[in-house]
Amino acid sequence: METVYFDNNATTKVAEEVLEEMKPLFCDLYGNPSSMHTFGGQLGCKIRKAREQAATLLGCEPTEVIFTSGGTESDNTAIKGSLAAVPNRRKVITTRVEHPAVLAACRDLENHGYTVIELSVDKEGRLDLAELEDKLDDDTALVTIMYANNETGVVFPVDKIAEVVTGRGIVFHTDAVQAVGKIPLNLAKSNIDLLSLSGHKLHAPKGVGILYVRKGTRLAPFMVGGHQEAGRRAGTENVPGIVGIGKACELAAQNLEEENNKVKLLRDKLENTLLQMCPGSRLNGDRENRLPNTSNLSFEYIEGEAILLMLDKFGICASSGSACTSGSLEPSHVLRAMGVPFTSAHGSVRFSLSRYNTEAEVDYVIEKMPPIINKLRELSPFVTK
Ligand code: PLP
């Protein structure tokens, strides 16, 4: 078996169809869309088409789509750009389980006199909406809450949250980097003001993303310079990336439900079998309200890193919930926020599938994983023998 790639929340393979659309834009159609001549000018219609493809997937107007360099830029633009538009309000509400692109941007605001409130989650990774409502006040400028968690796949009730938040006249942003293409969205029917997504989580290349900005939402540009993106995001357009993300959105919109049902069946087979075959294992996160492709499992008393290294020997790619900080393994901030016991949080492994994975790959992981867990348990100093 060659590489089995179950790390699609980290990044995805570029779809062949996406690559084919992008190819002519490097050496043939390489002009600058801002140029006066026909050679450059013809790229404007390629960008227009990509904007329409993205708008169709998101259920919004093409004019509400801004192309960026990825999820991190979209998140930073949404947060800093919306605050700049309401300088008299000084409070931001987010959650403890956001991606660092949001958490670091919010924590940086504290150095500029903002009050940042990070909402807690319960042991399944769910938010308490009453806590959120309680914190909203006239000083709140922005609420930024992710659509789906990258580590556990837990999906927050974002449409409901957006209704409550915007009903109080407060701007609502969601980091939907992990949700887009995995669950259906219809922004025309939602109160979300700002939404971030990233190309490389969606079978488009790295270095391109989108920020959806609801018509009428006040947003100061984050990148200033030229007049690109109607003055909302300066810089010569990444035309191949934009064309790629447009095509990826078109592909995601086709058969979204069918593809994701197939992925969910594979994920469930993998998850249920591993939980059954590996004693001391547990699922992290709300089983029901979850992305169809993500499974975050903990194996008590062993290190996630050790599991990953042994899986890697068999060509299996996954992720762990720990990060190496100053030489020691710190359990992930998401699992800590959920109160996952230390002995389990350390032994967490995230499998994240895509439409390109097969049942044969799931069976291969099911064959290799239980002996790895047994072997590491035998070696664990924490298990009484
Ligand atoms: N937000 C979430 C939830 C993510 O999972 C990621 C990437 O892992 C990002 C933001 C950052 O996106 P990008 O890598 O495109 O900057």
Side-chain angles (χ1 to χ4, degrees), residues 9-10 70-72 75 99 101 146 148 150 175 177-178 198 200-201:
N9 287 8
T72 302
D75 286 340
H99 187 274
M146 69 199 322
N150 43 303
D175 173 341
V177 164
Q178 294 293 345
S198 170
H200 74 104
K201 312 287 183 178

Side-chain angles (χ1 to χ4, degrees), residues 167-178:
R168 298 279 302 263
I170 299 163
V171 175
F172 180 70
H173 164 249
T174 185
D175 173 341
V177 164
Q178 294 293 345

Side-chain angles (χ1 to χ4, degrees), residues 9-11 68-75 97-102 146-151 175-179 182 196-201 205-210 350:
N9 287 8
T11 198
T68 67
S69 68
T72 302
E73 185 191 320
S74 296
D75 286 340
V97 296
E98 298 297 310
H99 187 274
V102 167
M146 69 199 322
Y147 212 118
N149 189 272
N150 43 303
E151 292 189 29
D175 173 341
V177 164
Q178 294 293 345
K182 296 173 190 155
S196 305
L197 69 109
S198 170
H200 74 104
K201 312 287 183 178
K206 296 161 187 66
V208 65
I210 286 174
R350 178 191 70 188

Side-chain angles (χ1 to χ4, degrees), residues 274 277-282 284 297-311 320-322 329 331 335 340-349 368-385:
L274 291 181
M277 293 180 74
C278 304
S281 57
R282 57 176 273 175
N284 294 314
L297 303 177
S298 273
F299 302 90
E300 249 194 331
Y301 300 122
I302 43 185
E303 296 278 3
E305 265 57 32
I307 304 172
L308 291 189
L309 287 175
M310 292 183 76
L311 287 174
S320 92
S322 309
L329 282 175
L335 300 185
V340 175
F342 197 71
T343 47
S344 284
H346 264 299
S348 82
V349 175
K368 300 295 177 202
M369 184 91 173
I372 290 177
I373 300 300
N374 289 338
K375 188 162 180 192
L376 289 173
R377 278 263 164 68
E378 277 168 25
L379 297 173
S380 171
F382 303 108
V383 180
T384 38
K385 299 183 177 93

Side-chain angles (χ1 to χ4, degrees), residues 43-310:
L43 295 169
C45 63
K46 298 257 176 213
I47 295 176
R48 250 190 318 280
K49 181 174 169 198
R51 216 182 289 286
E52 281 162 13
Q53 289 164 318
T56 303
L57 176 66
L58 299 175
C60 68
E61 294 296 321
T63 50
E64 296 174 315
V65 169
I66 301 181
F67 292 111
T68 67
S69 68
T72 302
E73 185 191 320
S74 296
D75 286 340
N76 275 267
T77 305
I79 294 167
K80 296 186 177 168
S82 61
L83 293 181
V86 279
N88 52 331
R89 294 187 177 211
R90 308 295 289 176
K91 182 167 148 188
V92 174
I93 300 176
T94 185
T95 78
R96 288 174 64 193
V97 296
E98 298 297 310
H99 187 274
V102 167
L103 272 185
C106 288
R107 287 175 187 167
D108 183 43
L109 294 171
E110 288 179 319
N111 302 324
H112 300 276
Y114 282 89
T115 302
V116 177
I117 292 179
E118 294 178 8
L119 301 172
S120 52
V121 293
D122 68 9
K123 62 183 183 7
E124 311 259 275
R126 293 173 303 211
L127 279 175
D128 177 357
L129 296 197
E131 188 195 356
L132 166 64
E133 286 195 57
D134 193 45
K135 303 283 184 212
L136 299 174
D137 61 18
D138 292 345
D139 197 33
T140 311
L142 172 74
V143 175
T144 172
I145 293 181
M146 69 199 322
Y147 212 118
N149 189 272
N150 43 303
E151 292 189 29
T152 58
V154 171
V155 175
F156 287 146
V158 160
D159 282 333
K160 202 166 154 193
I161 296 172
E163 200 181 318
V164 171
V165 171
T166 57
R168 298 279 302 263
I170 299 163
V171 175
F172 180 70
H173 164 249
T174 185
D175 173 341
V177 164
Q178 294 293 345
V180 175
K182 296 173 190 155
I183 44 183
L185 299 181
N186 188 352
L187 292 173
K189 292 215 168 119
S190 152
N191 290 352
I192 295 168
D193 294 309
L194 299 155
L195 176 143
S196 305
L197 69 109
S198 170
H200 74 104
K201 312 287 183 178
L202 192 65
H203 303 291
K206 296 161 187 66
V208 65
I210 286 174
L211 178 63
Y212 156 82
V213 183
R214 172 181 296 286
K215 194 174 168 204
T217 304
R218 288 165 62 204
L219 187 82
F222 184 56
M223 305 278 271
V224 291
H227 295 109
Q228 294 88 356
E229 297 296 284
R232 297 179 298 178
R233 197 275 184 185
T236 301
E237 297 89 339
N238 168 9
V239 186
I242 289 172
V243 166
I245 200 171
K247 184 68 186 176
C249 287
E250 183 188 293
L251 295 174
Q254 291 163 5
N255 312 321
L256 189 137
E257 249 180 81
E258 203 182 312
E259 297 276 14
N260 282 299
N261 284 342
K262 196 192 94 184
V263 170
K264 183 173 181 299
L265 282 179
L266 294 180
R267 190 274 313 265
D268 287 350
K269 179 175 182 186
L270 175 74
E271 178 175 290
N272 293 334
T273 316
L274 291 181
L275 286 172
Q276 210 180 356
M277 293 180 74
C278 304
S281 57
R282 57 176 273 175
L283 171 70
N284 294 314
D286 184 356
R287 186 180 289 272
E288 297 309 318
N289 300 307
R290 199 160 42 121
L291 293 174
N293 78 320
T294 308
S295 182
N296 188 314
L297 303 177
S298 273
F299 302 90
E300 249 194 331
Y301 300 122
I302 43 185
E303 296 278 3
E305 265 57 32
I307 304 172
L308 291 189
L309 287 175
M310 292 183 76

